Structures are given as structure tokens and as C-alpha cells.
Amino acid sequence: MQVRTYCRICEATCGLIAEVEDGEVRKLTPDPEHPVSRGYACVKGPAMLEVHRDPDRLGRPEKRDTHGWSPVSWDSATRDIGTRLRAILDRHGPDSVAVYIGNPTAFSWALSLFGTGFLAALRTRNFFNASTLDCQNKFVVAERMFGGYVIQPIPDLDRTHFFLCLGSNPVVSQMSFVAMPRALERLRAIVARGGRVVNVNPRRTETAHAVGEQVFIRPDTDVFMLMAMLRILFDEDLVDRAALGRCDGVIELRQAAMRFPLAEAAAATGVPAETIVELTRSFARAPSATAYCSTGVNMGSSGTLAFLAVQALNALAGNLDREGGARVPSRALGLARLARWLDRLRPPKRSRIGGFPVVATSLPTGVLADEILTPGEGQVKALFVLAGNPVLSAPGGERLRRALGSLELMVSIDLYRNETGAMAHYALPATDWLERNDFPLTQVGMQPEPYAHLTPALVPPRAERRNEADILLDICDAAGLRMFRVPGANTVLRRLGLDRLAPLVAKVVGVPISASRAGAPVRLDDAPAGEFLRNVPTTNGRIQLAPPDIMQDVERQSARLRHEAAAPPPLRLIGRRQRRSHNSWMHNLPKLRPQGDECWLSVHPLDAGARGLTDGVRVILSSANAKLEVPLKLDEDVMPGTVSLPHGWGHGGGAGWTVAARSGETGANVNLLAADGPAALEPLSGMARFNGIEVEIQAV
Ligand SMILES: Nc1nc2c(c(=O)[nH]1)N[C@H]1C(S)=C(S)[C@@H](COP(=O)(O)OP(=O)(O)OC[C@H]3O[C@@H](n4cnc5c(=O)[nH]c(N)nc54)[C@H](O)[C@@H]3O)O[C@H]1N2
Ligand SMILES: Nc1nc2c(c(=O)[nH]1)N[C@H]1C(S)=C(S)[C@@H](COP(=O)(O)OP(=O)(O)OC[C@H]3O[C@@H](n4cnc5c(=O)[nH]c(N)nc54)[C@H](O)[C@@H]3O)O[C@H]1N2
Ligand code: SF4
Ligand SMILES: [Mo]
């Protein structure tokens, strides 16, 4: 039997066809009739079948004690967790329990919702989301600028004449905050119809090799170029008149932009002044244009102001909500309403350490270790990790690992016992997406071509794997907690079940999922261009170009600009996503592991030569925070002054994935070089800083 389903590894959510026989999935192949992905899937989607069958997967709940790990029954695990959780809550109060949710949560409607319900039940402020490792800056800006953190304008690639792409590598990643498979094809079509694709990046990426123009920029300097572009827009009177009528804060933004003179911006970024001017003029004069930034910019030291500048550029050039510009899918507004309702269930308290405000319900993961290690009222004593691996994915992983070791209770709910789960008292086995029903929930706010797709669970869960929603309901029962803090909710939710709940939740965000009852994805209409601008959910219905708290960063960035224009640092580190891996968790599949070392440091021949280093040598890569030993590869694709190392490596540490931890191939955990703690984070959003870290290299 063939069942139409979709991949839930990344935002592209590509359609797949599953061959199901005798209660087993035999094969996963791209779905040629999917209305959006139309037969595309990357190497990871079909490889999920290997994850499903992986002998290293958790099959039963496991408990760690002084003798190591041993299997236990679900009943004994939930009862013990519930009792210990209750005791910690009673003794230390709600903030003593923390929850970290990882990236895969965004691809399960049930986990996103029940995870929030669990948080509400706990009443804790201590919620940490992987979003504070990759995109929290975008949430801060969208909240202030557009009236809701999920309101994220997406580039209308299929109609645009100019795509300005900062800090993304669509060919490898399929981007983020856009549910848009077939990125390469869409980019090539822009050029084919006479438009431009401009890749602003310290590395000539796989994308830039395939399509468009390359503009090399020094790591962590995009904000200077973007603010200088805004200044040119104002100075040369390139601002769209109609746009001015819809925006507040134009004068304040203009004053801010004046602090970023072209000559200094050019000196600091390494982008020639003529290029910045030419890009600005072409962007403003193109029939339609769209600026977009992703993790390369988000993970710098000024991602919030930089993203505000990106959206201001879109708005002021008249491209916000224009065909071919930056569009907000209409269902993002429904999602924003749901998010606002859920937000009210959380205490709006600041973090105890660093005083960071809650953004998009989350506090910065970069203070989690401190929240655990610092004694006092509200100290974290228990932690639930849902679908995450912060020991490898968060800054200062080793410090976090040690902090986890001091917890009174730690529970990891995951497909595997990963490096984080290795520190837990319980590792609980979750179902994967072949074993659960789903529909794209978070993604409805990011689909340029919206569609509804309700996929059933393809097969029953293997071994004793369970859906996270059921696990969390049982833990709530055992600890005397009510999901969503609503009396009777546990019973009602359990009785309704996930099959009946899914369509109800879909309806709330405006997705007529019943259209997809027969299991086929159904293309939906979207509101026409211009509709969003008539319905901006800010208090006065206008776009806010200069939110005061974000503008506070202007002073800091203009001081940094003067400093860096005078003396750019000699060597900065950036990341490098890889086709065959997904953050830290697809390294255990023999099929996806080509021979040899994948975790090498890219160094430009000029930088290597200046230090007497040659191809293939092992080097010490050091930051102010740590030192790593890594193999060096000469690479002319990185800009001189930039070195690049992928993240998600450094396996071992008691994790249960035997292939990933094979000796000699575990790679190095790049995030040891990144600092955690309040002073190390981007102050406005609490985002971790992974890009632009100042480093040095020397021979071993
Ligand atoms: N230096 C550097 N660091 C980075 C990045 C970078 O570019 N550079 N990228 C950052 C980014 S973009 C992100 S999103 C974060 C990711 O940070 P995390 O989400 O903390 O880390 P992942 O490696 O994605 O781990 C996801 C875990 O979820 C498990 N999992 C997968 N599917 C499911 C499921 O359906 N249910 C459950 N319960 N578990 C599941 C996997 O087995 C894995 O253990 O890392 C960030 N860290
Ligand atoms: N194969 C694969 N696909 C993935 C993932 C994966 O791990 N593997 N992860 C998924 C996740 S969780 C996410 S969030 C998305 C992320 O999607 P993207 O944001 O597109 O991720 P990257 O491919 O890491 O692209 C970031 C780019 O920023 C560049 N860069 C680094 N520093 C700077 C800088 O200071 N300025 C500029 N302008 N550029 C800079 C890097 O060279 C890199 O090309 O990808 C998703 N897709
Ligand atoms: S691009 Fe790959 S990982 Fe992402 S949804 Fe498509 S098949 Fe899955
Ligand atoms: Mo991410």
C-alpha cells in the first residue's frame, strides 16, 4: 500500500510516498504529485527510514543509576518521575523545574502543543527553546515590528526580480523560516527571467557556486552593510512614498542609519563601497525585490538590529507584502492568535540570571547552565529535555554538561540517548514521524504556497516508543499537574486522542485539514498581496520601524563599526551546514556517512600560508573560551580572515549512538569555542553567538 506523507526534518516539509506492507514501512520516496515539493526530497528525508529502524534507537524507557543504564517499565518510569517532580515543585517552587525543547519540536503539532501545555502546568519561567540558538532575534523583531513573533515575511522567490540573501545556503539547508522546497530551482528561475540573486556570505557556498552573484562579507558585520544601505535609501530619496504612510518610526530609523557612514561600513565589512551603493540602488529600483537573512546573520552579535534592518529595507523599498517582495502568509495571523493565547499561560518573568525578558515564551538557552549552577531562590533543580541535544548544540556545551550532572532530576524524551540524554536520570523513547499523525502547524505561517496535509501514522510504534503527548500526559497525572493548567484537561485530551485533536487544532489556525482526509496534500489559497498591510496586528495597525528597545543597540553597533573599520580582527570562525547531517542527529546512519573525516576546518590558503600551515595538518583552533584539535583543509571558498567548522559533531560522552561515536570520526564540538552566560549572548534577544567568534590557529 502507498501512503502519502511528508518529511518532518526541516522546514521544506517535502512530500514523500511510503510503501507500507505488513505493518512495516518498506520504502520512502519523493512524492512527484506533491503540490509544492513536486518530487523533490533531499538525501535526509528518505533516510528517515534508517532512523526508524536504527538498532541504536531507544526502544524502552531507560533509567540511569550508579550501575549505569537499565530498561524499566513505562509505569515505573512515569510513577517515579511524577513523584520526584512533585517533591521538587513542593520543596523549591515552580521555577525549580526547567524545560528545554529542541528543533524537531517545530515539526510535530502534538509535541509543540503538549509541550506548551506541560509548561503551563508547571508554571515555570524556566523554558528554553532551541530558537534561542538559531532565530530568537527574528522573534524579537517580528513581535515589535509586526505585532506577533510568528509573523515572519518570507521571500516571494517565484515572482521576485531581486533576491538579496544574507547568511543562508539554500541549496544545502533549504533555508529557515520558509517552507519552500526546491530552493535551487526557484533561485535559478529568478536569474532565468532576468532577475538577480545576490549571496552575501563570507563563504562561497554550494548555492553561490550554482546560482547568482557572490558578495564576500566579513563575519558578523552584516548589520553595518544593512544600516549603510538604509542610509543610502534615505540620502538618495529611494524610499517608496506609499510605504512611508504605513510605517511609524521613519525619522528615528533615519537618524539611526546616519550613524553608519558608507566608507566605514565598507572598511569593516570588506564589501567595496561601490558594491553597497549599487546593491541598494538596484534593490530599490527593481520591479520587486526581497531581502532575507538566516542563521549566518542570526547567530552574530547583532542579529536583532540586523534583521530589523533587513525588514526595514523590504518595507522602505515598497517590497513588504508586494508580489515578488517579502510576503506574510495569511495563516501566520491565525498562528499569531494561537501563540498569543498560549503565551498568556506563561509567567512573563525575566530570567533570574542576566535578566533577559521572555521572548516567544522562551528564555535564552545560553543561561541554562548558570540557572542550574547558581544557588538561590528559583535555582533550576530538574530539567526535561524534549527533542533536543543542547550539550552539542548550545554554546559552552561542556559547562552545560557538568551542570546537568548536578540536577536532582533530569528526563530526556528523544529518539536516541544523545549526549544530553546521557546526563539524564531517565531517557524515554519517543515515536518518530513514521509512527505518528501530523499536519504542518508551525509551517503554515511560512508556506509561500500553502497546503493542508493530514498524514496518518504509517505504522504502529516499534518496541515501546510512545508519542510525547501521551508521555507528558502521564507525567502530569503522576505529578498531580493539569495540562494547560485547565481542570480536567488531562482526561479530556486523553479521551479525544491525537487523531481527533489534530483537525481541531488545524481549524484554529485556519487550515481546513478535513480537505486532506483522504491523505493527499491539498493546495490552499492565500490572501492577495496587500492584505497583510491592511491587517497588521500591531496596536495601531502600522509597521514599527524603530522599536525603542531595538534602537538601543544602535549606539553599541556604531561604536563597534568605528572599531572594526579601523582594525578588523585577523581571524573569525563561522559554521558550515552539511547535506548529509542535521544539526547533531543524523550522524548515526551508515548510509549517510561517507568515508573519512567530515568535520574539518576550512582555511583560506593565504591565512594558512601566513601561519606556515599546509593542507591536511592537524591544528589547534582556539577562542577565548576553549581549544580544539581539528584537521585543516585549504579552501579558497572562504574569505581570507574567515575559517569554517561545521556544528553538531563531538559525539561520545556516554551517548547511545554507536556509529556516530566510532573512534576517529566523532569530530569536534565547535560549540566549546562559543561562550555561554549572560555576557556572551546578544543582549536584545539572548541569542547564542556562534558566528564571528575570534579565533587563532596554530600547528599541533
Ligand atoms: N555552532 C553552531 N551551533 C548551532 C548551529 C549552528 O549553525 N552552528 N545551529 C543551531 C540550530 S539552527 C539549531 S535549530 C540548534 C538545534 O539544537 P537542538 O534541537 O538542541 O539539537 P539537535 O541536534 O537538532 O537535536 C535534536 C534531537 O531531537 C531528537 N529528535 C528528532 N526527532 C524527534 C522526535 O520526533 N521526537 C523527539 N522526542 N526527539 C526527536 C534527535 O534524536 C536529537 O537528539 O542547534 C544550533 N547550534
Ligand atoms: N542539510 C541540512 N539542512 C538543514 C540543517 C542541517 O543541519 N543540515 N539545519 C536546519 C536548521 S535547524 C536550520 S535553522 C536551517 C538554517 O538554514 P541556513 O540559515 O541557510 O543555514 P546554513 O546553511 O548554515 O547557512 C548559514 C550561512 O551563513 C554564512 N555565514 C556565517 N556567518 C555569516 C555572517 O556573519 N554573515 C553572513 N552574511 N553570512 C554568514 C555561512 O557561510 C552559511 O553559508 O537549516 C535547516 N536545514
Ligand atoms: S529538504 Fe530534506 S530534510 Fe528537508 S523536508 Fe525535504 S526531504 Fe526532509
Ligand atoms: Mo535551526
Side-chain angles (χ1 to χ4, degrees):
M1 183 181 55
Q2 293 199 330
V3 186
R4 296 179 77 183
T5 187
Y6 66 93
C7 175
R8 278 149 272 171
I9 298 174
C10 87
E11 247 118 69
T13 47
C14 302
L16 296 174
I17 294 188
E19 299 275 354
V20 185
E21 245 174 72
D22 308 325
E24 286 287 338
V25 180
R26 304 275 173 213
K27 209 168 158 192
L28 283 174
T29 46
D31 179 356
E33 279 161 38
H34 188 278
V36 182
S37 59
R38 302 196 303 273
Y40 174 82
C42 81
V43 63
K44 291 172 293 166
M48 191 66 190
L49 193 49
E50 311 304 317
V51 173
H52 176 69
R53 298 170 174 161
D54 191 342
D56 284 342
R57 279 280 297 274
L58 287 167
R60 297 182 63 187
E62 291 184 9
K63 182 181 183 179
R64 182 173 60 87
D65 57 24
T66 43
H67 308 293
W69 288 93
S70 46
V72 291
S73 71
W74 271 111
D75 195 43
S76 112
T78 27
R79 245 184 310 119
D80 187 37
I81 292 168
T83 311
R84 289 160 75 174
L85 173 59
R86 182 76 262 161
I88 292 169
L89 285 170
D90 290 345
R91 208 167 342 119
H92 304 290
D95 290 334
S96 65
V97 182
V99 178
Y100 172 87
I101 65 168
N103 170 269
T105 309
F107 304 96
S108 160
W109 77 268
L111 181 50
S112 348
L113 220 71
F114 282 76
T116 314
F118 183 56
L119 276 169
L122 290 168
R123 296 173 190 261
T124 175
R125 77 168 111 186
N126 282 313
F127 170 49
F128 304 90
N129 189 329
S131 65
T132 61
L133 308 176
D134 77 341
C135 62
Q136 196 79 346
N137 59 318
K138 290 193 168 183
F139 287 154
V140 171
V141 170
E143 184 82 50
R144 310 284 193 284
M145 201 172 185
F146 305 124
Y149 67 85
V150 297
I151 299 175
Q152 298 286 340
I154 60 177
D156 187 5
L157 294 190
D158 292 342
R159 276 159 287 269
T160 198
H161 294 80
F162 193 124
F163 179 43
L164 181 66
C165 179
L166 302 108
S168 182
N169 185 8
V171 166
V172 167
S173 69
Q174 301 293 318
M175 311 161 78
S176 69
F177 280 79
V178 201
M180 186 157 26
R182 317 176 71 83
L184 179 59
E185 193 181 298
R186 294 172 201 262
L187 297 182
R188 284 200 166 129
I190 298 174
V191 177
R193 60 177 179 263
R196 287 174 74 182
V197 171
V198 178
N199 300 290
V200 181
N201 202 307
R203 174 171 172 259
R204 191 188 305 275
T205 59
E206 291 78 354
T207 306
H209 274 289
V211 61
E213 305 154 44
Q214 168 75 27
V215 172
F216 281 111
I217 188 164
R218 280 200 191 100
D220 202 16
T221 63
D222 300 73
V223 70
F224 308 143
M225 181 175 111
L226 290 161
M227 292 301 282
M229 288 177 80
L230 288 175
R231 178 173 170 163
I232 296 165
L233 273 191
F234 286 117
D235 284 352
E236 299 194 1
D237 205 13
L238 293 168
V239 175
D240 180 87
R241 298 269 157 238
L244 289 178
R246 296 185 209 104
C247 298
D248 286 343
V250 177
I251 292 170
E252 293 84 346
L253 184 66
R254 182 179 187 149
Q255 278 164 354
M258 293 307 140
R259 312 279 300 272
F260 296 81
L262 181 62
E264 283 185 0
T269 57
V271 182
E274 316 78 80
T275 305
I276 301 178
V277 172
E278 190 280 327
L279 284 177
T280 314
R281 289 178 185 158
S282 308
F283 188 88
R285 290 176 184 148
S288 69
T290 183
Y292 166 83
C293 74
S294 190
T295 59
V297 175
N298 300 350
M299 296 172 180
S301 60
S302 53
T304 304
L305 187 61
F307 183 57
L308 177 107
V310 164
Q311 293 310 339
L313 203 58
N314 282 327
L316 289 174
N319 284 305
L320 186 63
D321 204 20
R322 168 193 276 178
E323 260 200 23
R327 302 282 314 276
V328 176
S330 59
R331 285 171 192 83
L333 297 176
L335 203 58
R337 281 191 293 274
L338 176 64
R340 260 196 297 278
W341 180 78
L342 293 171
D343 281 359
R344 280 202 282 271
L345 298 171
R346 301 259 349 281
K349 289 194 255 178
R350 287 179 172 259
S351 65
R352 185 174 65 110
I353 308 298
F356 287 93
V358 168
V359 180
T361 77
S362 176
L363 294 174
T365 304
V367 299
L368 176 56
D370 287 304
E371 293 284 2
I372 297 171
L373 294 170
T374 315
E377 172 109 16
Q379 180 181 10
V380 170
K381 305 277 187 184
L383 174 68
F384 288 79
V385 177
L386 314 179
N389 194 8
V391 165
L392 292 194
S393 56
E398 182 50 29
R399 191 162 170 260
L400 179 61
R401 206 177 66 81
R402 281 199 306 269
L404 299 181
S406 71
L407 289 166
E408 288 179 21
L409 173 66
M410 181 180 160
V411 178
S412 160
I413 306 181
D414 206 281
L415 310 184
Y416 294 94
R417 195 174 74 228
N418 60 25
E419 285 71 16
T420 307
M423 301 306 293
H425 299 100
Y426 281 97
L428 304 180
T431 47
D432 58 55
W433 47 259
L434 306 184
E435 301 165 323
R436 65 172 192 244
N437 85 345
D438 241 320
F439 71 96
L441 171 62
T442 316
Q443 290 74 33
V444 296
M446 325 171 175
Q447 293 172 332
E449 302 170 89
Y451 66 92
H453 192 179
L454 176 63
T455 176
L458 303 173
V459 286
R462 284 196 168 200
E464 296 181 26
R465 301 172 189 169
R466 296 184 71 205
N467 192 295
E468 298 90 344
D470 297 320
I471 303 173
L472 293 174
L473 272 173
D474 283 358
I475 292 175
C476 278
D477 275 348
L481 294 166
R482 301 162 176 156
M483 268 282 163
F484 296 100
R485 231 188 287 148
V486 174
N490 301 7
T491 315
V492 173
L493 290 170
R494 192 174 275 119
R495 198 172 298 149
L496 275 171
L498 299 181
D499 281 336
R500 267 187 293 175
L501 278 168
L504 296 178
V505 177
K507 204 167 166 189
V508 172
V509 294
V511 178
I513 210 172
S514 48
S516 147
R517 268 282 155 75
V522 177
R523 185 78 165 77
L524 305 173
D525 286 336
D526 208 345
E531 191 64 17
F532 169 68
L533 287 176
R534 284 188 284 278
N535 293 289
V536 181
T538 48
T539 36
N540 64 1
R542 294 161 66 80
I543 308 290
Q544 302 300 315
L545 289 182
D549 51 349
I550 299 181
M551 288 298 113
Q552 280 174 14
D553 201 37
V554 169
E555 185 63 48
R556 194 171 67 96
Q557 296 310 329
S558 78
R560 192 165 74 92
L561 170 62
R562 283 193 301 278
H563 179 73
E564 296 208 1
L571 216 53
R572 274 184 161 159
L573 173 70
I574 62 167
R576 188 171 76 241
R577 268 189 168 60
Q578 298 167 299
R579 274 181 213 270
R580 297 167 161 272
S581 79
H582 201 82
N583 297 325
S584 75
W585 70 274
M586 294 194 90
H587 297 152
N588 208 53
L589 309 181
K591 263 198 185 166
L592 291 191
R593 298 293 304 273
Q595 294 306 305
D597 230 329
E598 294 153 86
C599 185
W600 36 264
L601 184 75
S602 280
V603 182
H604 193 276
L606 286 174
D607 293 319
R611 291 162 180 83
L613 301 168
T614 50
D615 196 49
V617 297
R618 292 190 73 81
V619 294
I620 303 286
L621 173 67
S622 50
S623 72
N625 213 45
K627 286 185 195 324
L628 292 181
E629 194 185 312
V630 286
L632 174 152
K633 235 187 201 182
L634 294 181
D635 187 352
E636 295 198 344
D637 283 334
V638 286
M639 187 183 188
T642 303
V643 295
S644 160
L645 190 69
H647 74 286
W649 295 92
H651 294 290
W657 27 43
T658 51
V659 177
R662 256 193 327 237
S663 69
E665 288 181 39
T666 58
N669 176 4
V670 64
N671 287 339
L672 300 179
L673 300 174
D676 71 332
L681 308 178
E682 198 253 349
L684 296 181
S685 62
M687 261 295 291
R689 291 180 49 195
F690 295 127
N691 280 332
I693 298 173
E694 291 183 30
V695 289
E696 209 19 90
I697 42 175
Q698 61 188 95
V700 168

